[in-house]
Amino acid sequence: MALDSEFIGTRIMDLLIDAVCVVDAEGRFVFVSAACERIFGYTPDEMIGMSMIKLVHPDDRQQTLEAASNIMRGQVQMHFENRYVRKDGRIVDIMWSARWSEQEGMRLAVARDITLLKQAERIQNAIYQISEAAHLAEGLFELYQHIHRIICDLLPADNFLVALYDDTCEALSFPYVADDQAVGAMRGQLDTRNPITSVIREGRAVLYRYDVTDDAAVPVVVLPDETQDWLGVPLISQAGILGAVVVQSYVGSARYQEHDKELLQFVSTQIAMAIERKQAEICLRHMAGHDPLTGLPNRALFNEHVDMALQVAQRLGEQLALLYLDLDEFKEVNDILGHEAGDQVLCEVARRLVQGVRDSDMVGRMGGDEFTVLLTNIRGENAVGIVMDKIRAAFAQPIALPSGSVNLSTSMGAARYPGHGTSRDELVRHADAGMYAAKRTKLTGPQLR
């Protein structure tokens, strides 16, 4: 059967999976094949006369215009990639092959939809980047920042937040929020009006779309004003639901579809693992540097801070002081009231010491009933004495215990940099000697009642 030229030129072209486009010198579509509707969402009639560049993703427009200029200068473009925004708001990845026809004054191009290939590539890259971020980030907030940037490469995520869930009290916390309009919709507890509630309680991704969501469901939740789409996915680990990540859209050009929900749900597993890993790392780091009873910095961490403070003081010409103290006759507290009471006393002592100094100072527990205080950037001859008097006054108040109350005093020694030494060892020796000298002058022990 012979095929006429009209059949070849129209019917066969419209059967092609790839799209054929013709664009004039001003960048307007003058011909598109039927496949364009499947790829871009617009009918051929809608696309004819439309400016090509208006369909290109805003972030890709400059490079697209540069490529078009090169084509019009006679360069053949074989594998140019960019992103387009479909009529329904979805983003598609396109690979173009194009050339310029000088005789017709037109650009001839074939477009192939490579969205699924690019999506798989981005997912693989995102999983790797999230894992790497969990290793490199110093803390949780920095990790959340990394995750936010990674998600932005997968879908529109300018408005992004992380919610963590405490199942012991059904409380939500929001350690990372990059969304000015989200604040009004956030609550500290789970309730039916909070859209995150469905995500947490049902353990599934939830997508609210203003134009397609069931009318009966809309009043149940409270979304930020002008919300176009709201997408939340749970963060599920082996230990349970850690919380959720949420992205929101307030403009029609950034809309979410079911495949966006599936995509975010897929990477959420890696996000949950990264958060859990960083939480465990921070917990271990805290345990390594803090006293398990009082929560104060232990000897190793305290000494590390003293060394750093000495470097700063030397560089800036500042003064600092080190206090060394213990509780007078603390052994009798353990012997008479028991070790549990002794532990309660130590915790209360730690609390009073922390309250008695500035936030920039540090209190540490060296072990047993021995504590240290680092005072930085001190000014005035009486500054150290004032702090010591404040600590003594704090100990003048009885410590209440379930079995009674106890009055304790403390013996303290002080060393000042640079007058009493320029190294940590010299300052510790001087303060320690002062503490024992003060202790030798005391004869009375704790009085229990």
Side-chain angles (χ1 to χ4, degrees):
M1 173 180 173
L3 299 178
D4 58 38
S5 59
E6 181 180 357
F7 181 83
I8 294 175
T10 56
R11 292 286 303 281
I12 290 183
M13 187 176 294
D14 284 345
L15 289 173
L16 293 175
I17 297 175
D18 294 340
V20 178
C21 304
V22 180
V23 179
D24 64 19
E26 284 72 39
R28 295 187 300 266
F29 291 107
V30 296
F31 172 82
V32 294
S33 65
C36 284
E37 184 171 1
R38 177 183 59 82
I39 295 175
F40 302 108
Y42 295 93
T43 66
D45 288 342
E46 289 176 315
M47 293 187 68
I48 298 301
M50 187 182 293
S51 174
M52 172 273 299
I53 200 63
K54 289 185 178 180
L55 297 184
V56 176
H57 189 284
D59 293 343
D60 293 352
R61 287 178 181 174
Q62 185 58 42
Q63 63 174 345
T64 300
L65 290 173
E66 292 173 0
S69 296
N70 292 334
I71 293 170
M72 293 173 69
R73 286 195 294 266
Q75 295 182 15
V76 176
Q77 181 69 58
M78 294 298 296
H79 303 295
F80 177 74
E81 295 181 8
N82 63 359
R83 292 169 297 171
Y84 276 66
V85 180
R86 283 174 48 92
K87 185 177 181 179
D88 60 9
R90 285 194 293 129
I91 296 172
V92 290
D93 291 273
I94 305 297
M95 177 184 288
W96 293 94
S97 296
R99 68 178 301 168
W100 172 252
S101 173
E102 187 66 37
Q103 182 177 355
E104 286 79 12
M106 303 285 181
R107 290 202 308 272
L108 312 176
V110 176
R112 173 165 293 181
D113 185 351
I114 57 170
T115 303
L116 293 179
L117 292 175
K118 298 298 290 186
Q119 193 174 87
E121 180 182 307
R122 292 188 189 109
I123 290 174
Q124 184 177 15
N125 188 47
I127 291 174
Y128 170 77
Q129 287 183 330
I130 292 171
S131 178
E132 186 178 43
H135 175 70
L136 296 177
E138 288 295 324
L140 279 167
F141 188 79
E142 185 178 344
L143 174 62
Y144 300 142
Q145 289 179 314
H146 283 304
I147 291 172
H148 185 189
R149 287 192 291 268
I150 293 166
I151 296 302
C152 282
D153 289 335
L154 297 177
L155 47 84
D158 289 343
N159 308 304
F160 175 84
L161 66 85
V162 176
L164 297 183
Y165 173 58
D166 184 350
D167 61 355
T168 60
C169 55
E170 289 203 329
L172 290 172
S173 61
F174 299 89
Y176 183 85
V177 178
D179 187 342
D180 293 337
Q181 297 189 49
V183 177
M186 296 190 299
R187 294 176 175 82
Q189 298 292 136
L190 293 185
D191 64 63
T192 56
R193 295 181 301 165
N194 191 333
I196 298 178
T197 297
S198 297
V199 177
I200 298 293
R201 286 184 173 164
E202 299 176 22
R204 64 179 182 87
V206 175
L207 172 60
Y208 290 105
R209 306 196 70 207
Y210 86 100
D211 53 351
V212 296
T213 303
D214 203 358
D215 289 341
V218 174
V220 175
V221 298
V222 178
L223 297 175
D225 293 338
E226 301 179 2
T227 299
Q228 296 280 325
D229 295 334
W230 188 98
L231 173 58
V233 301
L235 296 173
I236 303 175
S237 71
Q238 292 183 346
I241 297 180
L242 298 179
V245 292
V246 174
V247 292
Q248 299 187 90
S249 167
Y250 303 116
V251 294
S253 60
R255 305 299 306 276
Y256 301 122
Q257 308 287 335
E258 285 297 317
H259 78 275
D260 294 311
K261 184 171 73 172
E262 296 170 2
L263 177 63
L264 192 57
Q265 180 72 77
F266 186 85
V267 298
S268 69
T269 302
Q270 193 69 25
I271 295 173
M273 291 174 58
I275 293 175
E276 199 170 43
R277 173 181 171 182
K278 184 57 63 177
Q279 287 175 332
E281 179 184 311
I282 292 172
C283 181
L284 289 173
R285 192 186 307 154
H286 184 273
M287 291 172 60
H290 291 79
D291 171 47
L293 176 63
T294 64
L296 295 176
N298 60 19
R299 182 187 298 271
L301 181 59
F302 185 86
N303 287 343
E304 181 181 326
H305 276 265
V306 172
D307 291 339
M308 289 190 296
L310 284 170
Q311 294 177 8
V312 172
Q314 183 178 19
R315 185 172 67 252
L316 301 180
E318 297 176 349
Q319 297 186 38
L320 60 81
L322 186 67
L323 307 183
Y324 211 107
L325 60 96
D326 75 353
L327 307 179
D328 296 327
E329 304 296 339
F330 176 70
K331 182 177 181 297
E332 277 74 5
V333 175
N334 282 331
D335 292 344
I336 298 173
L337 298 179
H339 289 282
E340 183 176 350
D343 288 346
Q344 292 173 341
V345 168
L346 292 174
C347 290
E348 177 61 18
V349 166
R351 187 188 68 82
R352 294 185 184 186
L353 287 174
V354 170
Q355 287 186 336
V357 300
R358 302 167 299 178
D359 291 340
S360 58
D361 300 325
M362 174 178 279
V363 179
R365 183 187 179 198
M366 297 296 101
D369 63 336
E370 293 186 346
F371 296 84
T372 49
V373 180
L374 172 64
L375 306 175
T376 58
N377 192 22
I378 58 174
R379 298 175 183 178
E381 292 298 322
N382 298 326
V384 177
I386 291 173
V387 174
M388 295 175 72
D389 288 342
K390 190 174 181 180
I391 291 174
R392 292 190 187 98
F395 280 90
Q397 301 298 320
I399 297 176
L401 299 172
S403 55
S405 62
V406 58
N407 289 334
L408 289 177
S409 62
T410 179
S411 297
M412 276 187 290
R416 190 162 181 158
Y417 167 88
H420 296 136
T422 57
S423 70
R424 169 167 49 85
D425 289 341
E426 290 174 328
L427 295 176
V428 168
R429 282 197 298 269
H430 188 90
D432 189 55
M435 180 191 71
Y436 280 104
K439 186 175 287 291
R440 285 194 294 269
T441 66
K442 298 182 178 181
L443 301 177
T444 59
Q447 300 182 15
L448 307 176
R449 61 173 187 243

